């Protein structure tokens, strides 16, 4: 034994030396990633100052809570969706509303309403009033009653409550339980797009990469029902500059909705509308769950914590 190593010997020591079995899967993934990084440092001749600048950036990224923002921006969230779609195709699990990434801004436990609610917190003068409505269906086209439609979107400045100290708790976040016919509806406003926080570690990297940090206008959903597979998706508002240039690569062709401006008030009085508004009709189609786990109404971080 010697304590003088070549790079290859060092890598082997780092990835193979242990005092216990540990977790075989973690060991395998860690060994691969560490090995890839050793190789990248070598091939790119990464200098110490560059390496430590990277570590400093990662430290600040973690402290800023932007881990989930950078994964979206670097395409990892969409990658996982592409892989899930491929796995579904191989398994013959087709049909239903396309999935779209959850993103880093979900908060569990939003106020629960039956059939209809306002998602907005009172009037938003410079935004267009939106009523979105539809049904939750199974892949046979049958309505799913008692499904939970968990909806969240940005405010008029493109910011999300909980992460934005200016907003009330659960602002622009609601859960809606579908009625006996599987219907839901809510009133809100058409949100603007999202932009990564200026001056943040994510913005710093994006500047160095020459990339923008804009998402087109969108509304997020988790749709859950017993016996059905949890659906995580988004709808996109048509006409946005960034619709086909999303920094998170999360928009999907099947999820760009049609707007129906000038929809008359009649029948929507219970949502407090007093003037013609923009309507969006959208049915969520859920696949059958193959396991109980697939139907759990858990967002991604709650899943891994449970
Ligand atoms: C968002 O609003 C979002 O949906 C994603 C995926 C990333 C950052 C902000
Ligand atoms: Fe979002």
């Amino acid at each position: 034994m010697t304590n003088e190593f070549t790079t290859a010997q060092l890598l082997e020591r780092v990835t193979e030396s242990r005092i216990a079995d540990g977790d075989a899967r973690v060991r395998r993934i860690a060994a691969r990633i560490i090995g890839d990084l050793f190789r990248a440092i070598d091939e790119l001749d990464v200098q110490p100052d560059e390496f430590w600048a990277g570590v400093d950036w990662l430290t600040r990224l973690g402290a800023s809570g932007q881990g989930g923002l950078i994964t979206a921006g670097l395409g990892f969230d969409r990658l996982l969706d592409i892989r899930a779609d491929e796995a579904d195709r191989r398994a013959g699990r087709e049909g239903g509303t396309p999935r779209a990434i959850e993103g880093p801004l979900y908060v569990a436990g939003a106020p629960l309403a039956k059939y209809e609610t306002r998602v907005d917190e009172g009037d938003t003068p410079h935004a267009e009033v939106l009523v979105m409505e539809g049904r939750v269906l199974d892949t046979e086209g049958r309505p799913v009653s008692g499904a939970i439609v968990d909806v969240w979107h940005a405010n008029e400045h493109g910011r999300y409550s909980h992460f934005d100290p200016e907003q009330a708790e659960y602002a622009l976040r609601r859960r809606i339980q579908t009625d006996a016919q599987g219907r839901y509806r809510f009133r809100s406003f058409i949100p603007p797009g999202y932009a990564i926080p200026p001056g943040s570690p994510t913005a710093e990297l994006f500047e160095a990469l020459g990339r923008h940090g804009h998402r087109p206008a969108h509304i997020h959903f988790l749709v859950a029902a017993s016996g059905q597979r949890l659906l995580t998706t988004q709808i996109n508002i048509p006409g946005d500059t960034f619709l086909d240039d999303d920094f998170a690569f999360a928009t999907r062709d099947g999820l760009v909705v049609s707007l129906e401006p000038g929809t008359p008030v009649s029948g929507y009085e219970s949502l407090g509308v007093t003037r013609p508004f923009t309507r969006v009709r959208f049915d969520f189609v859920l696949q059958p769950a193959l396991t109980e786990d697939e139907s759990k109404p858990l967002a991604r971080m709650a899943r891994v914590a449970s």
Side-chain angles (χ1 to χ4, degrees), residues 108-278:
L112 181 62
K114 287 197 163 141
Y115 170 52
E116 68 172 1
T117 188
R118 276 188 80 157
V119 166
D120 59 347
E121 310 294 319
D123 293 351
T124 305
H126 301 292
E128 205 171 318
V129 173
L130 165 75
V131 172
M132 180 164 164
E133 66 179 338
R135 290 174 302 166
V136 177
L137 303 171
D138 67 17
T139 45
E140 307 290 311
R142 293 177 298 219
V144 180
S145 80
I148 302 290
V149 178
D150 198 334
V151 50
W152 70 104
H153 69 76
N155 75 356
E156 66 269 39
H157 308 296
R159 300 193 193 105
Y160 286 80
S161 67
H162 185 84
F163 305 93
D164 172 14
E166 313 261 287
Q167 293 181 59
E169 196 184 19
Y170 291 116
L172 307 176
R173 301 175 184 276
R174 294 292 185 277
R175 287 177 297 160
I176 308 160
Q177 185 170 36
T178 58
D179 71 3
Q181 286 94 57
R183 295 177 306 173
Y184 74 91
R185 69 180 192 180
F186 66 83
R187 169 183 172 175
S188 198
F189 57 86
I190 297 184
Y194 168 91
I196 57 177
S200 67
T202 297
E204 197 184 309
L205 179 65
F206 269 58
E207 205 168 301
L209 296 175
R211 287 189 53 193
H212 73 71
H214 294 278
R215 289 214 64 205
H218 61 280
I219 301 175
H220 295 268
F221 300 92
L222 285 187
V223 186
S226 88
Q228 307 296 323
R229 190 184 200 183
L230 177 71
L231 172 69
T232 304
T233 195
Q234 306 181 15
I235 58 136
N236 284 278
I237 308 301
D240 194 293
T241 319
F242 294 101
L243 199 54
D244 303 316
D245 186 21
D246 176 6
F247 109 97
F249 312 100
T251 64
R252 302 202 63 171
D253 293 343
L255 298 173
V256 183
V257 296
S258 301
L259 302 181
E260 301 172 53
T263 300
V265 166
S266 173
Y268 295 89
E269 292 86 352
S270 58
L271 290 169
V273 290
T274 51
R275 271 174 286 123
F277 59 89
T278 295

Side-chain angles (χ1 to χ4, degrees), residues 63-86:
S64 72
Q66 291 189 335
L69 191 57
I70 205 70
T71 62
L74 297 182
F76 289 99
D77 300 28
R78 182 64 188 270
L79 170 69
L80 299 183
D81 273 2
I82 291 171
R83 288 178 45 76
D85 287 351
E86 285 170 353

